[in-house]
Amino acid sequence: MPADIMSNFVKVFEQAGLCVVLVVGPAIAGAQSNVRSASPSPLAAGDRKFLSEAGDGSMAEVELGKLAVQKAADEGVKKFGQRMVDDHSKVNDELRQLAGREGIELPAAPSAKNRDLKRRLASLSGAFFDEAYMTNMVTDHKEDVAAFQRESNLARDPQVKSFATQTLPRLRGQLKSAQEIASKTTSSKATSTSGGTIQSGTGKPSPSKLALNKPGGSKAGVLR
């Protein structure tokens, strides 16, 4: 076969090969991408539940903290509320980044129970609000510390375990502060003890009890 004809054949085959690469290559890559995106998160059910509850609760902490800044009479309660806004805004950012890496979706807004708690607290003012809010914060953070301690020990995913472990000292610090402030916010003029039940000066249940007696008897989620 003459050299010029052979050269033409070579060029045709080279061009044909290039076309195959251009057409088939992206299709293969696209198929691989679809497989990756369609793959479910390998996160264990317990870890997924923990992140979801932490996300719900942390958003609620920010909302309630803002409420405390607006309504609290005691300056210490206002400062604690602002601390909740600052600290849990950071926690929310960390949670969103972690959820993105794990391929899961966090709640877009606080749960109905947490919204109801906010509504109940919003109906209070002054010393009544301070007492109810700080009583709630102490109860919540005791549960939060226990939940994060448990997850730091039992989490199956290393990143979730790391998040729980690194957040735990922050929650312990918040609990300590909440306990200190709560011990100072019980107004002797607004409340008195009778038969083990906290009551107001009119003999009616204290607003702190009204705020905490939510349907279902317990708070919703972690970090409320």
Side-chain angles (χ1 to χ4, degrees):
M1 181 179 292
D4 57 341
I5 296 178
M6 179 63 71
S7 176
N8 289 335
F9 271 113
V10 171
K11 290 181 180 180
V12 169
F13 280 117
E14 288 178 346
Q15 291 174 353
L18 179 60
C19 291
V20 171
V21 171
L22 291 175
V23 173
V24 177
I28 295 175
Q32 292 175 339
S33 176
N34 290 336
V35 169
R36 285 195 297 269
S37 62
S39 298
S41 170
L43 209 60
D47 292 349
R48 293 173 66 91
K49 180 180 179 182
F50 170 77
L51 291 182
S52 179
E53 291 181 345
D56 170 34
S58 193
M59 283 188 293
E61 292 286 12
V62 172
E63 293 299 312
L64 295 182
K66 292 178 180 178
L67 192 63
V69 172
Q70 296 171 2
K71 297 182 67 69
D74 185 88
E75 189 63 28
V77 177
K78 285 183 179 288
K79 289 181 178 179
F80 184 84
Q82 186 60 54
R83 178 179 178 181
M84 294 299 97
V85 173
D86 296 339
D87 284 1
H88 285 282
S89 291
K90 294 178 181 178
V91 171
N92 288 340
D93 290 339
E94 294 168 2
L95 276 168
R96 281 191 289 268
Q97 293 175 13
L98 177 56
R101 292 194 297 269
E102 297 290 356
I104 66 172
E105 292 186 9
L106 295 177
S111 64
K113 288 185 178 181
N114 283 328
R115 294 196 302 272
D116 182 61
L117 175 60
K118 181 181 178 181
R119 179 185 61 78
R120 290 168 180 265
L121 288 174
S123 69
L124 306 176
S125 60
F128 288 122
F129 174 87
D130 294 351
E131 181 186 356
Y133 174 70
M134 293 312 306
T135 298
N136 187 267
M137 287 295 99
V138 171
T139 301
D140 282 345
H141 282 80
K142 285 181 179 179
E143 296 181 11
D144 296 343
V145 168
F148 273 70
Q149 180 66 68
R150 182 169 57 251
E151 189 68 10
S152 69
N153 293 332
L154 302 179
R156 297 178 62 181
D157 184 89
Q159 295 188 72
V160 176
K161 184 182 184 72
S162 177
F163 166 75
T165 301
Q166 292 178 12
T167 306
L168 190 55
R170 185 184 302 173
L171 295 175
R172 285 175 173 155
Q174 292 172 358
L175 172 59
K176 181 179 179 181
S177 296
Q179 290 171 323
E180 292 173 351
I181 297 171
S183 68
K184 303 174 183 177
T185 55
T186 301
S187 172
S188 60
K189 294 182 180 180
T191 62
S192 62
T193 302
S194 176
T197 301
I198 298 178
Q199 297 179 326
S200 68
T202 62
K204 296 179 180 180
S206 163
S208 64
K209 290 294 182 182
L210 295 176
L212 294 173
N213 289 337
K214 303 186 293 297
S218 64
K219 80 183 185 75
V222 182
L223 284 172
R224 195 222 14 312

